[in-house]
Amino acid sequence: MGTLAPERILRALAALWVSQGQEGQTEGAHGVLRACSMTLVVVSEAGDDAAALGEIIAALMPEHPARTILIRLSGAGGAALEDRVYAQCWMPFGQRRQICCEQVEITASDAALVDVPPVVLPLAVADLPLILWCRSPRVFAMKEFDALAEMAHKVVLDSADLPDAAAALARLNEGAARGWMLGDLAWTRLTRWREMLSQLFENRELLAAVGNVRQVKVEYPGSSPTVSSVYMGAWVVDCLQAAGAAAHLKLAPGEWTGSGTAPLVLRVLLEGEGVSAELARWQDRMVTTVNGLAQCANLPLVTEYSLVREELAIVRRDPVFDKTLASAARVAYANER
């Protein structure tokens, strides 16, 4: 316990590779390949399912090999820090040589979070991006989180976990104004939605009538708007404005439950003279209705691994997301008033 010395952790990492190399030279082994494309800093609660998180990180490594620094927040208590170092290895199919990444695990109390950035920064791999994945909505709301975000090339989080959509979007928009490159899994979940809605307007008749759309209605489960519903509404309105349509956005609780017992996830309705388009989803079913003609398709719910994997592949700013975030923050603020 106490203050951690980055130099000691780096020595432990060096010793780890010596040990891995020696094991790789044993009879029948074909050596060990060290792989790294980024520094991945993961912030989670100590009470999170360690096995599930470990499986996600392990699954990410073959495509996005990284020096992973896992920070576990233990909550209230004295300013305590603990660490351990180990390797994350796998053997590609058909090969006999292991590929390994290094992982550092730091356990810290809330009071010690302020001491974490000076430890993490020297551990980051030089000349490679540092990605910060925050799995804790509580930590994201703490002012001490800002120091971690400031040193990251990109900050990934899931705003769907935050209890107040308007506050979440305001916090995200504030971070974007400070220059943070953000990846929000609540937005990433809408990728397939946006693709399907865009495909509807590949129909020439519907495309010709897009300028007539006057209302966009987004229905959400529960009693208050979700971040995803605000994102979707803001994105649709921005797209329609770019196409010359002046559409009004309405956010409302879902008024229907659909067939069976599957809960409503989201419903989007575009209406105007000569045009009516709707996307509605219950669990893993998506129903698309255009001018009264409906189609149903399976749309499996995406896993956290798939979402993070997609975000780690995006290393440049997404101008569409940046614009949508700013619009969504305004919509959420106006909806609160």
Side-chain angles (χ1 to χ4, degrees):
M1 295 188 185
T3 303
L4 296 184
E7 297 81 5
R8 182 178 60 76
I9 297 176
L10 289 170
R11 287 196 298 270
L13 288 171
L16 174 69
W17 286 112
V18 171
S19 174
Q20 291 290 327
Q22 291 172 345
E23 291 179 10
Q25 298 303 317
T26 58
E27 184 177 354
H30 287 67
V32 174
L33 178 64
R34 183 179 183 179
C36 187
S37 64
M38 66 180 69
T39 301
L40 176 61
V41 179
V42 183
V43 180
S44 71
E45 299 285 356
D48 287 352
D49 187 334
L53 178 56
E55 288 177 3
I56 293 174
I57 294 174
L60 291 170
M61 290 303 101
E63 188 170 348
H64 300 289
R67 172 180 287 178
T68 302
I69 303 172
L70 175 58
I71 303 168
R72 294 187 179 278
L73 269 293
S74 58
L81 289 169
E82 297 178 347
D83 72 282
R84 69 186 184 104
V85 172
Y86 52 97
Q88 183 81 254
C89 299
W90 69 96
M91 188 173 292
F93 180 76
Q95 299 185 25
R96 300 186 64 184
R97 180 171 63 172
Q98 286 196 100
I99 300 178
C100 294
C101 297
E102 52 208 4
Q103 188 160 323
V104 179
E105 185 173 318
I106 298 173
T107 301
S109 64
D110 286 0
L113 183 59
V114 68
D115 299 320
V116 169
V119 175
V120 169
L121 195 56
L123 299 179
V125 181
D127 302 321
L128 291 178
L130 188 155
I131 310 298
L132 174 60
W133 174 23
C134 181
R135 299 184 79 245
S136 169
R138 183 180 66 86
V139 173
F140 179 67
M142 296 168 61
K143 59 181 178 59
E144 291 84 359
F145 176 81
D146 292 5
L148 280 170
E150 295 292 345
M151 67 183 188
H153 176 80
K154 182 176 183 178
V155 178
V156 178
L157 73 151
D158 190 352
S159 64
D161 293 333
L162 301 173
D164 186 328
L169 289 166
R171 171 78 163 136
L172 285 165
N173 198 43
E174 175 190 347
R178 297 175 63 173
W180 300 356
M181 178 177 167
L182 295 165
D184 188 351
L185 304 188
W187 167 256
T188 316
R189 286 189 187 91
L190 296 174
T191 299
R192 186 62 181 137
W193 276 81
R194 296 185 294 117
E195 290 174 348
M196 294 183 73
L197 188 57
S198 298
Q199 288 168 6
L200 294 183
F201 287 91
E202 292 177 359
N203 178 291
R204 292 185 178 182
E205 292 184 5
L206 201 59
L207 181 60
V210 70
N212 298 333
V213 176
R214 291 294 176 264
Q215 177 166 292
V216 175
K217 185 178 182 182
V218 180
E219 294 184 355
Y220 47 83
S223 59
S224 59
T226 61
V227 173
S228 294
S229 66
V230 183
Y231 272 147
M232 192 66 186
W235 174 76
V236 171
V237 170
D238 282 347
C239 290
L240 289 171
Q241 287 178 347
H248 171 72
L249 174 62
K250 180 180 180 181
L251 301 172
E255 299 174 353
W256 54 321
T257 58
S259 59
T261 58
L264 174 69
V265 176
L266 201 64
R267 177 176 182 253
V268 182
L269 177 65
L270 285 69
E271 290 184 317
E273 183 179 350
V275 57
S276 176
E278 175 188 307
L279 269 71
R281 178 171 182 168
W282 298 273
Q283 202 66 16
D284 58 354
R285 293 174 55 245
M286 174 74 84
V287 178
T288 305
T289 307
V290 179
N291 293 333
L293 182 63
Q295 291 183 331
C296 181
N298 281 336
L299 191 62
L301 296 174
V302 289
T303 63
E304 186 178 25
Y305 154 73
S306 298
L307 296 169
V308 176
R309 174 175 171 267
E310 183 176 338
E311 281 299 329
L312 292 184
I314 302 172
V315 296
R316 294 183 176 86
R317 285 190 173 276
D318 179 354
V320 175
F321 171 68
D322 289 345
K323 182 178 180 181
T324 302
L325 172 59
S327 299
R330 290 193 297 270
V331 167
Y333 176 76
N335 196 66
E336 287 275 286
R337 300 182 67 182

